[in-house]
Amino acid sequence: MNQNIPELYGSMIFSDKVMRNKLPKDMYKALRKTIENGTHLELDVANSVAVAMKEWAVENGATHYTHWFQPMTGFTAEKHDSFISPSGEGEVIMDFSGKELVKGEPDASSFPSGGLRATFEARGYTAWDPTSPAFIKDKTLYIPTAFCSYNGEVLDKKTPLLRSMEALNLQAVKMLKLLGNETVTRVSTTIGPEQEYFLVDKELYEQRKDLVFCGRTLLGAPAPKGQEMEDHYFGTLKPRVSAYMHDLDVELWKLGIPAKTKHNEVAPAQHELAPVFDTANIAVDHNQLTMEIMKKVAEKHGLVCLLHEKPFEGINGSGKHNNWSLITDDGVNLLNPGRTPAQNIQFLVFLMAVIKAVDDYADLMRISAASAGNDHRLGGNEAPPAIVSIFLGDELNAVLESIENDTYFGKQEKIQLDTGAHVLPHFTKDNTDRNRTSPFAFTGNKFEFRMLGSSASVSTPNIVLNTAVAEALAQFYQELEGTRPEDMEKAVHELLKRAIRKHKKVIFNGNGYSPEWVAEAEKRGLYNLVSTPECLPYFVKDRSVELFTKHHIFTKEEIFSRYEILLENYAKTICIEARTMTEMLTKDFLPALSAYSGEIADNASAKKALLPSLSTAAEERLVTELTEAYAAITDGLEELKDLTAKAAQAGDMKQAADICREELLVKMDALRGTADRAEALIPDCELPYPTYDRLLFSL
Ligand code: ADP
Ligand code: MG
């Protein structure tokens, strides 16, 4: 069937076009003003929007509405209410008011709050975010909202993101004005998140408790083939995968999510989807929805979409690349090097602000990508290292060098100049080779933050980045404030020079995967925070609290609560993994191992009974090996159970997380090693769950 894609695209969102058609003119104008400038929305406008929204939703088959929010679980939350309102005996009308649109009051007590909210203060509020379009899914009208507690403490991932966008807008516009730009009134952050994922057959998935409970395999010997042939990356799409991807695109397009690129990734069964970039807030909402719909569409195809950062040992895990830039309300990308020197000044100041931000707050950037799942990737030879550094490419590097050394930048020989003025170079879009090993790379007209895990919300890294860049711009502003316009170019040049000297340590254009870089980074004094429990304490340091409170992103209490939530999430994740491994080994693997070695022993005895001269040395060796593995796993399981209990009883969350990292995970690794070696000795038909061969190569 041929689908009219332009017609289908966005058909399930309360789009600008629908608004214009359904709303009285003055109401439409008032709503646009709120969306574009963040002005307060009057109740009469809200009422009018509610009527239009309900009408549109009902026309499109909706019976319910829900406030849709992003609590600290990392997932989205929803509670559906029907539109029905009794209007007489046995009769109802479909009703929806401005008040219901604007505010919801879900019980907040069962969402993670990190100790912010006592259980007796159960009430929470959701507040409509008119900047992100409402949409229809599963016969329900979804209204994107922010979520906070009864006392106004933030309990979600949207509110701080909106605040950070506002903080950055404020500082960026101030800076642009200072630099003589009189046209810009608003600066927005744009994001394009590239999403990696795995697809596995649903029937196979359901036979593995580790995949069902943890999203990753905790056991499993490697398949004879992994990714070494490099034949999967950009390879031809298999029919089942292609059909899935097509359906996924259509579902996303209906919701106005501009899914653009799709391809096979490096590991077998691994794929990627990237949308066209959008305003940060909308892109974050869209990425949450994308992850959800990826899973849902997979079910329809008898597949399961795995978003875990490390579903399989021995092959690449999945990440999410956060492409980030700044755009003015007159359409200029501030990270586009541009062609005229005036634009160049802007570009260089903003470029330098990003470099400074990432250098000054590298610890927070690292934290923004920290999770139990992502710890398996960062620092492995598949994802950027845990060290935050910036890749600029040869051309920009040369530009910064010329500023630092007062040399002229050009294609010709470098010429010394005696004055600092007029040295700001003219150059075009960076077109140097791509560097795939850098955690934070300049890619022509945007930065690409590559540390993020595939299952994470893209909100946190953008909160950190926006806030840190806002702070860098604020500091630059202070340095430049009061400069006369005719002296500005020289002052900017001097500022850039100082900033380059201070922050060039964070710039690294070499191979981020090499061991030499780890040593070099240490010499440069960069952080190398290899695990979640190691990096999280930096979140609650004074510097971090100062940054976030100064720009009104989080209060001190909110920071500490988030710290608790992150630690708790880490410890709980690993404890669930430990319990799942215990269960799989005890109930599935050990019985299979025992049965098989018994079978071999019986066979050997039978042979001996029949022909006493036959050698059963091979059987004896195998039975010995299996029996030793059985004993080692049984002993290891006792220790694993003790350690799981120890983590559960730890005095505080940091201690629990440390036990998980330093003891529990180590034990699990050792147990896995033993079990995987034994698995390789047992025939597939005797194993209690499907092996890597089938999981990775059956589609
Ligand atoms: P790659 O080679 O890394 O896959 P692409 O050019 O395909 O690079 O872009 C990757 C992502 O970057 C896409 O989602 C794209 O929309 C996004 N992107 C492009 N320009 C911008 C921008 N100005 N701001 C944010 N994201 C952007
Ligand atoms: Mg990319």
Side-chain angles (χ1 to χ4, degrees):
M1 184 183 67
N2 272 340
Q3 283 157 317
N4 183 341
I5 302 301
E7 209 166 274
L8 175 128
Y9 188 86
S11 56
M12 287 296 137
I13 59 170
F14 191 65
S15 63
D16 188 63
K17 192 170 146 202
V18 179
M19 281 181 221
R20 225 180 314 128
N21 286 341
K22 292 238 176 241
L23 284 171
K25 232 188 191 131
D26 52 333
M27 296 294 160
Y28 170 75
K29 269 195 187 147
L31 178 61
R32 281 293 348 151
K33 224 171 109 198
T34 299
I35 293 172
E36 277 153 30
N37 308 325
T39 48
H40 180 73
L41 192 90
E42 301 298 334
L43 189 61
D44 61 330
V45 183
N47 277 329
S48 175
V49 176
V51 170
M53 251 189 206
K54 181 211 68 189
E55 210 180 278
W56 168 76
V58 171
E59 276 166 20
N60 283 283
T63 54
H64 287 68
Y65 72 92
T66 177
H67 277 200
W68 182 68
F69 54 104
Q70 297 168 26
M72 293 301 293
T73 53
F75 300 102
T76 55
E78 52 194 73
K79 178 184 148 216
H80 299 200
D81 276 297
S82 69
F83 288 121
I84 65 159
S85 169
S87 66
E89 201 160 325
E91 285 175 23
V92 293
I93 53 163
M94 298 301 255
D95 194 26
F96 185 48
S97 72
K99 246 171 83 188
E100 287 168 312
L101 164 66
V102 172
K103 195 173 106 183
E105 294 189 16
D107 186 334
S109 61
S110 294
F111 292 103
S113 80
L116 261 186
R117 170 201 35 70
T119 23
F120 57 87
E121 291 166 342
R123 202 196 294 266
Y125 292 116
T126 48
W128 179 35
D129 167 18
T131 62
S132 183
F135 54 92
I136 297 172
K137 188 168 69 74
D138 308 323
K139 300 195 187 311
T140 301
L141 169 69
Y142 280 73
I143 300 153
T145 57
F147 178 46
C148 66
S149 78
Y150 180 69
N151 295 321
E153 290 119 347
V154 172
L155 296 175
D156 74 345
K157 302 202 172 200
K158 183 190 268 281
T159 315
L161 176 73
L162 290 170
R163 289 176 180 169
S164 74
M165 291 167 70
E166 214 34 62
L168 184 48
N169 166 50
L170 190 79
Q171 300 302 334
V173 171
K174 249 172 83 175
M175 176 56 77
L176 287 172
K177 286 223 162 79
L178 186 69
L179 295 177
N181 186 323
E182 277 157 14
T183 53
V184 173
T185 59
R186 238 189 128 69
V187 171
S188 320
T189 5
T190 51
I191 322 180
E194 299 164 57
Q195 175 75 49
E196 291 180 342
Y197 61 98
F198 279 85
L199 287 178
V200 294
D201 187 89
K202 188 159 183 274
E203 251 176 61
L204 301 178
Y205 165 92
E206 279 166 353
Q207 295 169 48
R208 297 209 48 133
K209 290 180 183 142
D210 46 7
L211 286 180
V212 171
F213 293 128
C214 311
R216 76 173 180 110
T217 56
L218 301 167
L219 301 166
K225 182 182 177 213
Q227 62 193 41
E228 59 277 69
M229 297 302 285
E230 296 169 333
D231 54 353
H232 197 252
Y233 190 59
F234 283 13
T236 319
L237 303 177
K238 295 193 179 131
R240 258 181 101 181
V241 173
S242 178
Y244 164 77
M245 286 178 165
H246 176 76
D247 266 10
L248 176 61
D249 279 339
V250 169
E251 289 308 314
L252 295 175
W253 289 337
K254 281 187 203 162
L255 291 170
I257 299 175
K260 175 88 175 159
T261 311
K262 52 188 184 188
H263 61 81
N264 285 346
E265 257 299 331
V266 170
Q270 191 186 26
H271 315 281
E272 180 179 302
L273 175 147
V276 177
F277 68 94
D278 213 327
T279 314
N281 171 36
I282 294 173
V284 169
D285 285 2
H286 280 174
N287 183 250
Q288 290 295 137
L289 265 175
T290 300
M291 290 193 284
E292 183 192 316
I293 289 167
M294 282 172 123
K295 292 189 174 171
K296 215 158 97 186
V297 174
E299 295 260 334
K300 274 198 237 156
H301 288 254
L303 300 167
V304 173
C305 173
L306 301 177
L307 291 172
H308 193 283
E309 284 75 16
K310 193 71 182 176
F312 303 101
E313 204 54 43
I315 53 172
N316 279 7
S318 299
K320 181 140 56 190
H321 291 176
N322 185 70
N323 292 274
W324 179 94
S325 193
L326 292 167
I327 193 160
T328 64
D329 54 346
D330 50 5
V332 176
N333 176 351
L334 290 170
L335 292 179
N336 192 338
R339 296 194 152 267
T340 69
Q343 273 184 1
N344 253 341
I345 291 192
Q346 275 181 23
F347 167 71
L348 286 168
V349 168
F350 279 88
L351 175 78
M352 204 58 231
V354 178
I355 296 172
K356 175 178 169 53
V358 173
D359 187 31
D360 283 344
Y361 295 103
D363 50 347
L364 298 180
M365 292 297 292
R366 167 67 183 91
I367 290 167
S368 78
S371 69
N374 214 21
D375 276 5
H376 297 287
R377 293 175 65 245
L378 300 180
N381 278 352
E382 54 173 279
I387 307 161
V388 175
S389 68
I390 301 178
F391 169 83
L392 285 182
D394 294 342
E395 189 168 17
L396 276 189
N397 232 29
V399 167
L400 294 193
E401 239 165 58
S402 77
I403 294 172
E404 187 187 353
N405 304 320
D406 281 339
T407 50
Y408 177 76
F409 175 83
K411 299 287 174 216
Q412 64 270 68
E413 290 268 283
K414 290 178 179 174
I415 308 160
Q416 278 301 133
L417 283 188
D418 10 320
T419 131
H422 307 299
V423 293
L424 293 176
H426 171 202
F427 49 90
T428 50
K429 189 168 157 163
D430 176 62
N431 53 8
T432 52
D433 206 11
R434 293 282 180 116
N435 174 310
R436 291 280 168 199
T437 64
S438 175
F440 199 87
F442 185 73
T443 47
N445 59 1
K446 62 187 189 294
F447 275 102
E448 184 171 342
F449 183 46
R450 303 193 180 124
M451 273 181 146
L452 208 59
S454 48
S455 69
S457 156
V458 268
S459 171
T460 318
N462 291 295
I463 294 170
V464 171
L465 193 52
N466 291 349
T467 312
V469 174
E471 174 57 22
L473 287 170
Q475 288 186 27
F476 283 175
Y477 185 90
Q478 264 188 346
E479 288 185 52
L480 294 175
E481 202 179 4
T483 307
R484 286 184 311 202
E486 60 270 33
D487 299 331
M488 191 52 86
E489 194 172 328
K490 173 128 176 22
V492 167
H493 177 74
E494 289 304 321
L495 170 118
L496 292 172
K497 220 157 94 175
R498 287 191 298 275
I500 292 163
R501 292 205 172 130
K502 185 154 174 224
H503 298 294
K504 68 178 175 190
K505 67 175 191 297
V506 77
I507 298 170
F508 177 65
N509 293 303
N511 179 6
Y513 294 175
S514 72
E516 292 80 30
W517 169 231
V518 177
E520 164 71 14
E522 196 182 337
K523 249 195 270 160
R524 294 190 190 186
L526 302 180
Y527 294 109
N528 185 8
L529 304 167
V530 294
S531 75
T532 300
E534 258 169 278
C535 71
L536 287 182
Y538 288 81
F539 193 23
V540 289
K541 290 206 172 200
D542 289 348
R543 286 180 69 246
S544 158
V545 173
E546 272 159 33
L547 174 75
F548 288 122
T549 51
K550 176 178 168 186
H551 294 278
H552 310 290
I553 312 299
F554 296 122
T555 62
K556 188 172 176 181
E557 291 69 34
E558 287 165 357
I559 294 173
F560 275 79
S561 80
R562 262 154 220 255
Y563 170 65
E564 280 294 311
I565 291 170
L566 289 167
L567 281 173
E568 191 175 342
N569 187 287
Y570 176 85
K572 280 183 179 166
T573 302
I574 291 172
C575 285
I576 290 171
E577 289 181 351
R579 287 197 296 270
T580 305
M581 184 181 237
T582 305
E583 174 149 336
M584 279 178 86
L585 287 173
T586 311
K587 295 194 182 167
D588 304 329
F589 188 70
L590 285 179
L593 189 156
S594 169
Y596 180 57
S597 64
E599 225 174 90
I600 301 290
D602 287 351
N603 286 350
S605 305
K607 272 167 68 179
K608 270 263 186 259
L610 184 67
L611 278 172
S613 62
L614 270 186
S615 164
T616 50
E619 285 91 335
E620 283 164 37
R621 272 202 309 276
L622 182 55
V623 172
T624 307
E625 223 176 305
L626 291 171
T627 308
E628 279 170 4
Y630 190 94
I633 293 171
T634 310
D635 291 349
L637 275 173
E638 283 312 306
E639 292 169 54
L640 190 64
K641 278 183 223 160
D642 289 346
L643 285 172
T644 316
K646 186 176 164 190
Q649 286 153 13
D652 60 49
M653 273 304 156
K654 171 72 168 92
Q655 211 184 359
D658 285 338
I659 295 169
C660 288
R661 166 80 191 172
E662 286 153 24
E663 301 182 63
L664 210 44
L665 277 177
V666 175
K667 188 82 246 165
M668 285 168 68
D669 258 357
L671 261 172
R672 178 180 188 150
T674 313
D676 289 357
R677 278 188 298 279
E679 183 194 296
L681 302 173
I682 303 172
D684 279 359
C685 61
E686 305 260 350
L687 284 170
Y689 36 72
T691 57
Y692 269 32
D693 312 28
R694 292 176 67 209
L695 285 170
L696 291 170
F697 294 95
S698 66
L699 290 191

